[in-house]
Amino acid sequence: MAEGALELQLTAPNANTKQSPHCPALLARRSKLSAFSKICYAVGGAPNQVAGSASAFFLQIYLLDVAQITPFEASLVLSIGKFWGGFTDPIIGFSISKSKWTGIGRLMPWIVGSTPFLVVSYFFLWFVPPFVTGRVAWYLMFYCSFQALSTVYHVPYTTLTMFISTDQTERDSATAYRMTMEVFGTLIGAALQGQIVASAHFANYCKTNNGSNNFTGNVSDSFPNHTALTGSLDIQLHARNVYMIAAGVICSIYLLCTTILFFGVKERDDPYALLSGKVIPFFRGFKLSVQHGPYLNLIAAFLLISAAVQLQQSNFVLFCTHAADLRGHFQNLVLTILISAVLSIPFWQWFLQRFGKKTAAFGISWMIPFTIMLVTIPNLIVAYLVAVSSGFSIAASLLLPWSMLPDVVDNFRLMNPQLKGLEAIFYSSFVFFTKLSAGIALGVSSLSLEFAGYSSAACKQSYHVVLTLQILIGAAPAVLIIIGLVILIFYPITEDKRRETELALNTIRLRTRRATLIVI
């Protein structure tokens, strides 16, 4: 109690605050964030998105066509890695809730300490080991490590939203900054990865061993063993080298952005936490969080929507390469998707403030008709239209859950004032469920390609592989998005209820501050 009181004494304007009629205004001013702080906070979210974007769009095709493991083995790597990352989320959330306050905060040590190990695991994820027998174990080990360490970085970073300000408007604004930067990071990741590794997937794509013939047409029909791509050692070495170059660039971005976050953001403890006693056990906190109605609704809706977006991202490059005549354009189409997403964030921030977050969520459905159009009419003009519309919808799917989650946490705080320290559990559990759904989606995706007969050595895939890719980027995501939006209809936190919750919590915070100053 004395430590918390001292913190409040240092941050309070003066002891007479308890008698001033302007206390709410003073509290609000203290909660304001500078644009510089918001930008530095937002920059911290970029590296995970840079790496996540690169792996989302390119890891599956890398494992299949560069590392040359089978679709079944790739499904094991992708699904187990996602599951492992998801299971570490609650563990990290619990560990953070038990952390002590340090000179640099309670969350920042986790972010800074995990970065060097995260960089190493990411780099070796894109390295092809010289041995073949244990290659699947290699990728499984480093993908699991990357997923776990990115969780150690991501959970405290997202939880930091609750501890940079107590003002909901400021947190929403910081979240908009963050999501703009994260989508921009997604753009950078896809741009770097796409431009650097593009030559590995379409340069000299269908040449034979001596490079003299260029097979076109039904190559896979003429060569049933699908060996058209295995002859050139130079092409294989080139593909491996460009993927490692891309990994090295992204690792440097991790180090730079973490440094900016550390020096540019001040973590603040919330005086609301002084209302309650000891931190409750993790499993009880987890149980209480998932039993909270608004939180359960939010998780159910966005785990389906996240799975849909993951399906489209992981199979888009494969679709362009094998199911449509867009092999030479996929990197530019990925850039178009992400540029559209970056430019759409300010619109969605304005829209959710003007019409409410729940209404804005239905903008995610905008991608459905255009994606179906790409599947049925796979030409270049349609592909760019789909890229623009998909970016518009993806921006909404990225911004809204992280903008709605603080409202859910505040609602829980108000309904359970005796409980403390569950913020990290809420954030880590949300990431856990979304990663779980993404792992299932990726596993099903790769297994579907295995059953369809995908061959990494083929210039042209079979009809069944093409049909499977069409379903994976068209019909399946559409169904998942529609079901998720139907669930979201029943989300109970309206704009009026959100404002009432904010006012009630600010009143509690003000009373806590006054009581603390009186004790001092």
Side-chain angles (χ1 to χ4, degrees), residues 113-169:
S114 64
T115 301
F117 303 99
L118 181 55
V119 165
V120 172
S121 66
Y122 182 80
F123 181 80
F124 282 105
L125 175 62
W126 302 95
F127 174 76
V128 180
F131 47 84
V132 177
T133 303
R135 193 169 288 180
V136 176
W138 172 279
Y139 289 113
L140 187 60
M141 177 180 67
F142 282 106
Y143 191 50
C144 287
S145 299
F146 169 68
Q147 287 293 326
L149 290 165
S150 65
T151 294
V152 179
Y153 183 101
H154 188 64
V155 170
Y157 172 74
T158 53
T159 308
L160 192 61
T161 309
M162 303 298 298
F163 296 97
I164 57 176
S165 176
T166 58
D167 186 277
Q168 286 189 358
T169 302

Side-chain angles (χ1 to χ4, degrees), residues 8 11-13 17 20-33 164-168 170 268-272 502-514:
L8 288 176
T11 55
T17 303
S20 171
H22 303 294
C23 285
L26 290 172
L27 183 61
R29 283 201 298 272
R30 182 179 178 275
S31 300
K32 294 295 181 182
L33 295 171
I164 57 176
S165 176
T166 58
D167 186 277
Q168 286 189 358
E170 288 298 297
R268 299 179 174 92
D269 208 358
D270 190 345
Y272 176 82
E502 180 181 23
L503 180 61
L505 288 178
N506 281 339
T507 302
I508 294 172
R509 291 185 180 105
L510 187 56
R511 289 174 182 169
T512 306
R513 191 176 299 276
R514 286 175 171 173

Side-chain angles (χ1 to χ4, degrees), residues 165-456:
S165 176
T166 58
D167 186 277
Q168 286 189 358
T169 302
E170 288 298 297
R171 291 199 310 241
D172 285 346
S173 177
T175 299
Y177 273 78
R178 171 194 151 202
M179 297 314 302
T180 301
M181 188 60 69
E182 287 193 354
V183 175
F184 185 62
T186 304
L187 170 62
I188 292 174
L192 287 172
Q193 193 85 2
Q195 297 299 324
I196 294 173
V197 309
S199 59
H201 296 290
F202 69 83
N204 303 315
Y205 188 78
C206 282
K207 291 187 177 181
T208 57
N209 294 356
N210 59 16
S212 60
N213 296 316
N214 187 17
F215 292 106
T216 57
N218 295 328
V219 177
S220 60
D221 295 335
S222 300
F223 297 88
N225 292 326
H226 304 290
T227 58
L229 294 180
T230 59
S232 176
L233 181 61
D234 290 339
I235 293 176
Q236 293 179 32
L237 291 175
H238 171 73
R240 296 177 183 185
N241 289 335
V242 294
Y243 268 99
M244 288 187 65
I245 291 170
V249 173
I250 291 175
C251 287
S252 67
I253 292 174
Y254 256 112
L255 298 174
L256 175 63
C257 292
T258 304
T259 303
I260 293 173
L261 174 68
F262 177 74
F263 287 106
V265 176
K266 177 178 175 56
E267 182 182 344
R268 299 179 174 92
D269 208 358
D270 190 345
Y272 176 82
L274 294 174
L275 280 176
S276 45
K278 297 181 179 179
V279 177
I280 66 173
F282 167 75
F283 287 107
R284 184 183 168 215
F286 179 79
K287 181 179 179 181
L288 288 170
S289 67
V290 297
Q291 288 178 340
H292 189 55
Y295 186 59
L296 188 60
N297 184 284
L298 190 70
I299 287 175
F302 278 99
L303 69 84
L304 293 173
I305 293 170
S306 298
V309 173
Q310 185 71 57
L311 276 177
Q312 287 197 325
Q313 286 183 331
S314 62
N315 289 287
F316 185 76
V317 176
L318 281 169
F319 176 85
C320 292
T321 303
H322 299 298
D325 189 19
L326 302 170
R327 182 176 297 125
H329 302 277
F330 70 79
Q331 72 274 24
N332 295 324
L333 289 169
V334 170
L335 283 179
T336 303
I337 291 173
L338 299 173
I339 290 173
S340 174
V342 170
L343 297 178
S344 301
I345 289 287
F347 166 79
W348 286 118
Q349 178 64 15
W350 168 83
F351 191 94
L352 66 86
Q353 290 177 340
R354 178 69 177 82
F355 299 102
K357 300 174 184 179
K358 185 174 176 179
T359 303
F362 289 87
I364 299 169
S365 63
W366 182 254
M367 72 168 70
I368 295 176
F370 290 93
T371 306
I372 299 298
M373 188 185 303
L374 177 62
V375 170
T376 55
I377 313 173
N379 65 55
L380 189 59
I381 296 176
V382 172
Y384 276 102
L385 288 175
V386 171
V388 173
S389 64
S390 295
F392 189 72
S393 298
I394 288 172
S397 71
L398 291 173
L399 174 64
L400 286 164
W402 296 110
S403 181
M404 298 165 82
L405 189 54
D407 300 338
V408 172
V409 175
D410 278 345
N411 180 265
F412 181 87
R413 282 174 159 182
L414 186 62
M415 295 179 65
N416 301 273
Q418 77 282 5
L419 300 178
K420 172 189 175 182
L422 296 183
E423 296 85 5
I425 293 178
F426 271 95
Y427 276 81
S428 62
S429 298
F430 182 80
V431 177
F432 162 71
F433 285 114
T434 53
K435 282 186 177 179
L436 189 66
S437 67
I440 294 172
L442 287 173
V444 170
S445 171
S446 296
L447 283 176
S448 299
L449 292 173
E450 172 82 13
F451 292 139
Y454 181 90
S455 172
S456 60

